[in-house]
Amino acid sequence: MTGGEYGVSGGATDTDGRAGGGPVSGGGPVKTEAPYGTWPSPVGAALAAARDGRPEYLGTVGEELWWTAPRPAEAGRRALVRRRADGTEESVLPAPWNVRSRVIEYGGRPWAAADRPRGGPLVVFSHFPDQRLYAYEPDSGAGAPPRPLTPVSTVGGGLRWVDPVLRPERGEVWCVLEEFTGPAPTDVRRVIAAVPLDGSAAEDRRAVRELSDGRHRFVTGPRLSPDGRRAAWLAWDHPRMPWDGTEVLLAEVTPDGTFGGARTVAGGPGESIAQIDWDASGRLLLAGDRTGWWNLYRAAPRPDGTLGTPEPLCPREEEFAGPLWKIGLNWFQPLDNGLIAVVHGKGGTALGILDPETGTLVDAVGPWTEWASTLTAHGTRVTGVAAGPHRSYEIVELDTCTGRSRVVAAAHTDAVDPAYLSEPSVRTFTGPDGREIHAQLHPPHHPGCTGPAGTPPPYVIWAHGGPTGHAPLVLDLEITYFTSRGIGVAEVNYGGSTGYGRAYRERLRERWGVVDVEDCAAVATALADEGAADPARLAIRGGSAGGWTTAASLVFTDVYACGTILFPILDLRGWATGETHDFESQYLHGLVGPLDRVPDRYEARSPVAHVDRLTSPFLLLQGLDDVICPPAQAERFLARTAGRGVPHAYLAFEGEGHGFRDAGTLARALEAELALYARTFGFSRTDVPDLELRT
């Protein structure tokens, strides 16, 4: 189903308890009683893997809409897709072109395009395998392949590019350059640079013109004022992460295209400004959290190069931005008519249109409870990426004149009968010291099966990554894979998560491995105490920082019967002394404390140092190309676990980095996870390979 058109509603949308619409089975034939975990399901691992990922990095090119799209069946590459004015869609580049940046390893906006009166669009993009910038003219008719614009460097991680801004009138593209200067992952510098569009820098690094001075460790791409006279960008330095504190830099763009007089005009160590942009009148818009919530502000540049006092445009205890894990994310989009499209909310998010003069905010109506951090506009139409509890991520257009929204691309289709979808609920639990813990529950559900009377189901606690992140309430066939078989899932937005204000996310400051573990355990035990979950059949799973929480929960609590650990952090000291990439190399300063000040804390909280406490079976899944949470951490953990009598399995995948992308890998990992639960919870399945557990 693709839905239809939807109207708008006035005021803010209350996301608490909002679970969205969707089919609910009722009446019908009597259900068959069967043990939890054994229910037959049409949601296979291959189907869930095929639906992995979502559209990203929307942009308008003339009358067309462009974006990047996941291709799990094509080794997980990211394709660049265009929707022409007549509604037809096509890939801009064939396989194996992979439009994805590796700057700060998590990447960011990897492409930019300009419409031209003759010859069609010119697109510049970052190609994942070699990280070079390429230029391509898909409508030129000459059939020429993309041509490289930047050279290859053999030093460390090479040269990488992200967040491009095309300047065809200057014959350049401006973007963030990440340049490795040595073999270590922290031997790196980042500047804003100008790359010639004529290809003269393809073999000559000296032809790349640096625009910023390199005094900051991290920068975002420049945002040019409407008159082209000023450039603004964000910057921050170790040990801060961008959600701790960022600075807004403002510079004059001189006639020869250089930046002059760059100075910090907003932000600082205690304020995270996640996005900036210019309105049509030349005033700077900022999304900052000086009040404890990411709200939207506006300020006018002064003639002396400073910035006027930022004025709040819609002060609320809601988030109008989020964590800057990738370079070039955008939660707001100024429109030519002076209005501003905003993604906002508490917990869940909505797309709203803000009148900055009155503070009036009107939200789009529809079945979507989560809007991604990507917006684009053309005239009075705003387009974003949105999903709901019973809808996958799709591309939605809002007409600000009529108030109507409609799906225009990547439309949701029911991969299975919606009767198999669980009806989720949003819950707030009470944790230690009476603190609130936000979670989303997905109970077991099947249109034709029910569990044994008086027997509660098994549940898996899902700990999201980050840890400065958030589990959105959206349709996820990986969750349905379990719930349709009779296994409940609880996604825990533990203390430290985003979406609930700065105070909530700073609960984790110097308490990583404590608050997250306690909050997940509090939700699990509350479900057991309520009779909603079987206390003897509780599991926990997570990837990256969620893998850390999973491993720490298995080591430091006795709540869980087993756990699935994906591409984890397991050894804090190793991670803090060279076993990760530059972006997060000092993340632990805030999460745990400086190593030189609290060295014992690094030992006390690391799962690798306490494998003697481990008694529950576990599955460890790892990408062998992961430079963020490298295989060395997993292998060290396994070496210390060997011979201790704890059943476990280890699956390592060649060609996979941090987070799996290939359809085959995704399916194998999901089947192995189900096999672990079958072994541990005591049910049998014939639709997944058996999992060999070692001790």
Side-chain angles (χ1 to χ4, degrees):
M1 59 184 176
T2 60
E5 291 194 349
Y6 301 86
V8 296
S9 66
T13 301
D14 183 1
T15 61
D16 293 337
R18 182 177 56 170
V24 180
S25 60
V30 176
K31 294 186 176 184
T32 300
E33 186 176 288
Y36 292 111
T38 67
W39 303 347
S41 172
V43 184
L47 176 62
R51 296 299 184 103
D52 187 70
R54 70 185 186 197
E56 288 186 298
Y57 307 117
L58 297 177
T60 51
V61 184
E63 298 293 324
E64 299 182 355
L65 179 67
W66 292 35
W67 66 93
T68 66
R71 294 289 186 263
E74 299 175 21
R77 79 176 182 105
R78 296 292 301 193
L80 185 59
V81 180
R82 66 192 293 189
R83 179 183 183 270
R84 294 183 180 270
D86 62 5
T88 58
E89 293 180 21
E90 62 189 58
S91 292
V92 177
L93 294 154
W97 292 103
N98 190 348
V99 183
R100 180 179 159 212
S101 171
R102 282 189 63 183
V103 169
I104 68 168
E105 293 301 341
Y106 293 109
R109 187 172 185 87
W111 72 274
D115 193 31
R116 299 177 300 178
R118 291 186 297 273
L122 169 67
V123 59
V124 172
F125 66 94
S126 176
H127 181 44
F128 184 74
D130 60 15
Q131 286 299 288
R132 300 175 85 180
L133 275 184
Y134 287 81
Y136 183 49
E137 301 172 72
D139 297 347
S140 67
R147 52 185 175 84
L149 298 180
T150 56
V152 173
S153 170
T154 58
V155 178
L159 301 174
R160 302 173 180 179
W161 314 84
V162 76
D163 208 9
V165 177
L166 269 173
R167 301 297 308 276
E169 76 283 0
R170 297 195 55 84
E172 295 177 326
V173 56
W174 293 0
C175 49
V176 174
L177 161 62
E178 180 177 80
E179 181 173 24
F180 284 81
T181 58
T186 53
D187 293 335
V188 62
R189 61 190 294 269
R190 298 175 187 89
V191 294
I192 300 173
V195 176
L197 290 172
D198 62 7
S200 57
E203 304 297 335
D204 185 3
R205 166 66 178 85
R206 294 169 298 177
V208 175
R209 189 164 60 90
E210 296 189 8
L211 301 176
S212 62
D213 56 18
R215 70 176 184 263
H216 290 288
R217 188 75 169 191
F218 302 95
V219 293
T220 64
R223 298 296 177 259
L224 293 174
S225 60
D227 60 9
R229 294 173 53 196
R230 295 183 176 92
W233 64 95
L234 298 174
W236 67 97
D237 294 288
H238 285 318
R240 282 178 284 151
M241 299 300 286
W243 40 86
D244 297 325
T246 57
E247 300 174 21
V248 178
L249 276 78
L250 186 64
E252 299 294 322
V253 180
T254 62
D256 64 358
T258 59
F259 290 177
R263 64 180 70 188
T264 297
V265 295
E271 181 182 7
S272 167
I273 297 177
Q275 183 191 345
I276 55 173
D277 211 333
W278 301 88
D279 68 12
S281 300
R283 292 169 293 187
L284 196 62
L285 301 171
L286 314 89
D289 69 346
R290 63 181 58 190
T291 65
W293 297 86
W294 275 303
N295 276 194
L296 198 57
Y297 298 84
R298 182 176 64 188
R302 296 177 175 136
D304 63 359
T306 61
L307 200 65
T309 302
E311 58 172 321
L313 299 182
C314 187
R316 296 186 180 190
E317 291 191 349
E318 293 184 16
E319 304 284 36
F320 285 71
L324 200 63
W325 278 102
K326 299 179 180 182
I327 306 299
L329 300 180
N330 66 318
W331 294 265
F332 68 83
Q333 177 69 51
L335 308 181
D336 293 340
N337 59 9
L339 301 177
I340 307 170
V342 294
V343 172
H344 71 102
K346 183 178 180 181
T349 53
L351 173 64
I353 301 300
L354 173 65
D355 183 339
E357 307 308 324
T358 65
T360 302
L361 180 59
V362 179
D363 287 344
V365 170
W368 310 288
T369 56
E370 190 74 25
W371 289 77
S373 49
T374 180
L375 293 173
T376 190
H378 180 66
T380 59
R381 297 177 183 271
V382 178
T383 309
V385 175
H390 289 164
R391 298 180 77 92
S392 54
Y393 281 100
E394 48 196 353
I395 299 177
V396 182
E397 178 189 82
L398 171 65
D399 187 329
T400 62
C401 290
T402 65
R404 298 293 176 181
S405 54
R406 65 187 182 110
V407 177
V408 295
H412 167 80
T413 56
D414 291 323
V416 296
D417 185 340
Y420 285 91
L421 301 181
S422 178
E423 190 66 42
S425 62
V426 177
R427 290 278 305 275
T428 301
F429 292 87
T430 301
D433 304 320
R435 64 178 182 253
E436 289 186 345
I437 306 167
H438 301 288
Q440 292 144 195
L441 305 186
H442 305 262
H445 177 75
H446 193 289
C449 294
T450 187
T455 303
Y459 253 85
V460 183
I461 302 297
W462 282 31
H464 64 71
T468 309
H470 183 84
L473 183 59
V474 299
L475 175 62
D476 185 341
L477 287 187
E478 286 197 6
I479 292 177
T480 307
Y481 180 80
F482 294 107
T483 58
S484 61
R485 287 168 167 77
I487 302 172
V489 171
E491 299 178 285
V492 181
N493 283 312
Y494 49 81
S497 300
T498 56
Y500 309 99
R502 185 168 184 129
Y504 192 85
R505 73 176 187 267
E506 289 199 338
R507 287 182 186 177
L508 213 55
R509 181 164 290 278
E510 297 201 7
R511 300 192 69 198
W512 194 37
V514 179
V515 168
D516 50 323
V517 171
E518 291 177 345
D519 285 3
C520 287
V523 172
T525 54
L527 291 174
D529 292 344
E530 294 172 2
D534 185 344
R537 293 187 293 171
L538 293 171
I540 185 168
R541 68 99 78 172
S544 189
W548 153 271
T549 301
T550 297
S553 296
L554 294 178
V555 167
F556 297 119
T557 79
D558 59 0
V559 173
Y560 308 101
C562 63
T564 301
I565 308 167
L566 297 97
F567 36 91
I569 302 160
L570 297 166
D571 180 356
L572 291 178
R573 182 179 291 273
W575 211 67
T577 55
E579 283 189 350
T580 192
H581 61 145
D582 183 62
F583 177 59
E584 293 179 271
S585 62
Q586 296 186 35
Y587 196 4
L588 298 184
H589 280 236
L591 291 174
V592 181
L595 178 59
D596 59 354
R597 183 169 62 84
V598 289
D600 293 346
R601 193 180 293 170
Y602 281 65
E603 182 81 5
R605 293 190 193 168
S606 291
V608 73
H610 302 283
V611 294
D612 57 307
R613 302 184 185 183
L614 187 62
T615 59
S616 300
F618 67 89
L619 169 65
L620 181 53
L621 303 166
Q622 178 70 48
L624 292 178
D625 292 346
D626 193 340
V627 298
I628 296 174
C629 296
Q633 294 246 327
E635 291 161 2
R636 194 175 304 135
F637 186 77
L638 290 167
R640 297 189 184 184
T641 304
R644 294 184 175 272
V646 180
H648 65 275
Y650 177 53
L651 298 181
F653 300 97
E654 293 185 2
E656 292 285 7
H658 194 65
F660 304 148
R661 294 175 180 271
D662 179 76
T665 301
L666 291 163
R668 180 70 186 99
L670 204 54
E671 290 177 338
E673 185 175 351
L674 179 59
L676 172 70
Y677 302 150
R679 279 282 197 101
T680 308
F681 296 156
F683 60 83
S684 62
R685 296 209 65 97
T686 60
D687 57 346
V688 296
D690 188 31
L691 185 67
E692 181 181 351
L693 298 178
R694 306 173 184 174
T695 55

